[in-house]
Amino acid sequence: MSVKKKNPKRWIWWGGALVVVIAIFLGYRYISGNAKVVKYEPTKVTKGDIRTTILSTGVVAPENRLDLKAPVAGRIEKILVQEGQKVHRAQILAWMSSTERAALIDTARSKGKEEVKYWEDSYKMTPILAPGNGVIILKNADAGQTVTQTDNILSMSDRLMVKANVDETDLSDVKIGQKAKMVLDAFPNNPLESEVYHIGYDAKTINNVTTYEVDVRANETPDFMKSGMTANITFLIEEKSQVLVVPAASIKREKKKSFVLIPAANPKDEPVQQEVQVGISDGKKVEIVSGLQEGDTVLSGAVRSLSKSGEGQNGSPFSPFGNRPKR
C-alpha cells in the first residue's frame, strides 16, 4: 500500500500567507487606533509694514586711493598730518629737503645759527601737497627719514565705501541709487544709511558661486569708519507701509494661485479655503492685496497623530502587545 507524501512547498506557501494576513491585521489595528488631528492656529489679518531685502557682506575700502610719493629725493623735515585727518585740496601735508639742501643745511649747522638761517632762507624746503579733498589713511614716513622719489610718504582716499559681493541671482534687484543699510562689525549699534554707488561688470567665482562687486557709500562717513573693516549690507528692494499682512505659514500655493484657510460658519465644520492675491513677502509676513479684510481670521494648521484616548503613541504597529502610551 502506497503512502501519499506531504508537499513541503504547500506548507511554506500557507505559512507565508498567514504571516501576510497577520501583518495586515496588525497594521490596520494600528492605523485605526490612531486618528490624525489637525490643530489650527488662528491669526487676525492686520495692517503693518513690510519690506523685502537682500543681505550681503563686504569690506570697507577707499573709493580712490592716492599714494603720495616724494617729489624729490632727500629728507623728510616735517609731517603736518596724522592718520584719519581730513585734508583739502592744495593743503601742505609735509615739508622735505632735497639731497643737496639737506647736505647744505647739515654743513651750515657746524658754522652756527646765522649760517643755517642764511641757507634756510636762500634754499626753501619742498612741500608735499594734497591733490584733492580726502582723508589720510596711511603715514609711511617720519621726520628725519631719507626717501627717494619711489617711496610712498602718505596715502589718502577721497571717500570710504563698502565693496560688497552680491550673488548673480540677486543682481537684477540691485540698482544704482538704491537705498541700503550698512552695519560695521566693529560698531554693530551704529547702522549707517547708505546707497548703491556702482555695480561691477566683472564677475568673481568663489566656491562655485558667482558674485559681482557692488560699491555702497554711506550718506555720511563717520570718523570711526576705517579702511579694511568688515560690513554687513542690507539692500532695500521694496517697502510698503500699513498694508494687510498675514503669517507666511498661512499661505498655501496651488497651480500659481494662493489660498488661505478661514473658519467655517459652523465651528464644527472643516475650514474653508479662500483664494487671495498676495504681494511682497519678507519671509515671515506676506502682503494681502485682495481676498481678505482687516480683522478677518486665517488659520495655520499642523497635523499630529493621536490615539483614540488622545494620548501620543509610540512602539511598533506589529507588536502583539499593541502600542503603549509614552511615559
Side-chain angles (χ1 to χ4, degrees), residues 1 49 95 119 124 184 196 250 287 291 310:
M1 181 172 126
D49 301 336
W95 290 101
W119 285 110
K124 297 296 185 181
L184 302 173
V196 176
S250 65
E287 175 196 7

Side-chain angles (χ1 to χ4, degrees), residues 51 56 58-61 159-162 178-196 215-227 229-236:
R51 57 170 55 186
S56 179
V59 177
V60 177
R159 190 168 187 175
L160 293 174
M161 61 172 48
V162 172
Q178 184 174 344
K179 292 182 180 180
K181 183 168 289 187
M182 179 189 304
V183 178
L184 302 173
D185 282 358
F187 298 93
N189 297 323
N190 299 91
L192 304 174
E193 296 299 326
S194 312
E195 68 175 30
V196 176
D215 295 338
V216 181
R217 294 196 310 192
N219 296 343
E220 294 184 6
T221 304
D223 294 335
F224 58 75
M225 186 174 179
K226 302 184 187 305
S227 181
M229 285 184 170
T230 303
N232 296 299
I233 303 296
T234 302
F235 297 95
L236 178 61

